[in-house]
Amino acid sequence: MKEHCSHRTDCLKMIQLILDGEATEQQLARLKVNLESCKPCIEMYHLEKEVKELLTKRMEKKCCPDQLVATIKSKILSFS
Amino acid sequence: MATIQEVMSDTPTRDDDQLLPDGDPIDQPSADTPARGYTDEQKYRIFNKEFMPHIDSMYNFAFRLTTDEDDANDLVQDTYLKAFRFISSFEQGTNAKAWLFRILKNSFINDYRKKSKEPAKVDYQDVETTYNSEDAEAEHTVDLRAESVSDLIGDEVATALNSLPVDFRTVIILCDIEGFTYEEMAKILDIPIGTVRSRLHRARNLLKEKLRDYASSMGYNEENEE
């Protein structure tokens, strides 16, 4: 298991592409190899995944107030 | 440690949504825009069936941009009225959500940013140039661990996100909260995909620095972990 990664920035970019669903098959294959052999890459992968999940799952989703929906609809109807 | 199976199962897949129609009229209404002769009935149907279902996402985006409920109300209302006014340039069956987000983002830049309560606007090009320099690239890794952010709560994440320059905040919202593809983001923001990718990378590094401050304040740091 590698304790030091000499391509941290490139690996980090690749990890982000993969978590975003934007990576190529080749990049995915490279990450799989890294995650079996490189400790810093494993840690970066977990951190990036955790931060992405914080944003997707833990942030409050603000809903549009009903009053605003009603106002928009009434204004649209007055256009014609 | 992540197994290969975990990596594979975690890898999101995205459908190839249809993108925005060509000739967006919202920036510059012009004769070049292919006008579609919808009847009034068709306009209302498109508005209700294709635009209104996205109103919660739009409001959430507006609130995350303005960080103010009244401003978010105004921005969403303006966006929907503009969308209706320019509905003849929307092609049915294309990506209505991305089209609406683009209008909202343009309205925010043109109308709301000027009167924003935010401190002096950060020129993101300057910030990106700094972060893009070779030195920054080489040294820029954030000393933060997954375990130390796992206990952070939504308010802390929101505060960290809000503290980012708005252009960096925007790419994180579009990608991580709304799940747009890089290609959709490029169209919404009028920037090349390469810029989307690099801006997102910088934005996440900045966000992790903010989260590290919270994690440290909660007592998670390297000393405690060793």
Side-chain angles (χ1 to χ4, degrees), chain B residues 76-102:
Chain B
V76 170
Q77 179 169 313
D78 283 3
T79 299
Y80 270 86
L81 298 188
K82 275 182 191 160
F84 189 79
R85 200 174 308 132
F86 293 109
I87 205 164
S88 59
S89 67
F90 174 75
E91 187 178 343
Q92 286 188 79
T94 57
N95 191 334
K97 185 177 175 185
W99 195 75
L100 292 167
F101 267 68
R102 179 170 170 159

Side-chain angles (χ1 to χ4, degrees), chain B residues 17-21 24 26-27 58 61 65 79 95-109 167 170-171 173-175 178-193 196 199:
Chain B
D17 286 342
Q18 286 182 286
L19 295 171
L20 304 167
D24 188 342
I26 304 306
D27 294 319
M58 294 282 283
F61 184 39
L65 285 177
T79 299
N95 191 334
K97 185 177 175 185
W99 195 75
L100 292 167
F101 267 68
R102 179 170 170 159
I103 301 172
L104 191 146
K105 161 257 171 188
N106 284 340
S107 296
F108 174 71
I109 288 172
D167 295 287
T170 302
V171 288
I173 297 167
L174 293 178
C175 184
E178 294 301 334
F180 284 112
T181 64
Y182 290 1
E183 193 175 356
E184 288 167 335
M185 290 167 67
K187 292 243 183 185
I188 292 169
L189 300 172
D190 290 319
I191 55 177
I193 281 195
V196 169
R199 193 176 296 177

Side-chain angles (χ1 to χ4, degrees), chain B residues 128-176:
Chain B
E128 282 184 8
T129 303
T130 306
Y131 275 84
N132 273 326
S133 71
E134 289 297 319
D135 288 347
E137 274 295 329
E139 300 298 327
H140 203 76
T141 50
V142 178
D143 184 17
L144 180 66
R145 293 184 178 191
E147 303 78 49
S148 64
V149 297
S150 60
D151 288 333
L152 292 175
I153 58 172
D155 284 354
E156 290 161 343
V157 184
T159 306
L161 185 63
N162 289 348
S163 69
L164 301 186
V166 72
D167 295 287
F168 288 151
R169 200 187 326 150
T170 302
V171 288
I172 288 183
I173 297 167
L174 293 178
C175 184
D176 293 330

Side-chain angles (χ1 to χ4, degrees), chain B residues 4-100:
Chain B
I4 292 173
Q5 286 72 25
E6 275 179 330
V7 175
M8 300 302 285
S9 66
D10 286 337
T11 303
T13 55
R14 282 177 171 152
D15 295 326
D16 283 325
D17 286 342
Q18 286 182 286
L19 295 171
L20 304 167
D22 291 330
D24 188 342
I26 304 306
D27 294 319
Q28 292 179 314
S30 76
D32 296 336
T33 303
R36 291 165 184 83
Y38 296 129
T39 63
D40 282 352
E41 188 185 339
Q42 285 172 322
K43 287 180 184 175
Y44 288 121
R45 188 175 53 77
I46 292 169
F47 191 85
N48 285 321
K49 300 279 186 202
E50 300 212 40
F51 295 175
M52 289 308 284
H54 302 296
I55 201 159
D56 283 337
S57 290
M58 294 282 283
Y59 185 82
N60 195 54
F61 184 39
F63 180 75
R64 295 291 163 209
L65 285 177
T66 61
T67 66
D68 181 275
E69 289 186 2
D70 289 337
D71 286 345
N73 271 316
D74 290 347
L75 187 51
V76 170
Q77 179 169 313
D78 283 3
T79 299
Y80 270 86
L81 298 188
K82 275 182 191 160
F84 189 79
R85 200 174 308 132
F86 293 109
I87 205 164
S88 59
S89 67
F90 174 75
E91 187 178 343
Q92 286 188 79
T94 57
N95 191 334
K97 185 177 175 185
W99 195 75
L100 292 167

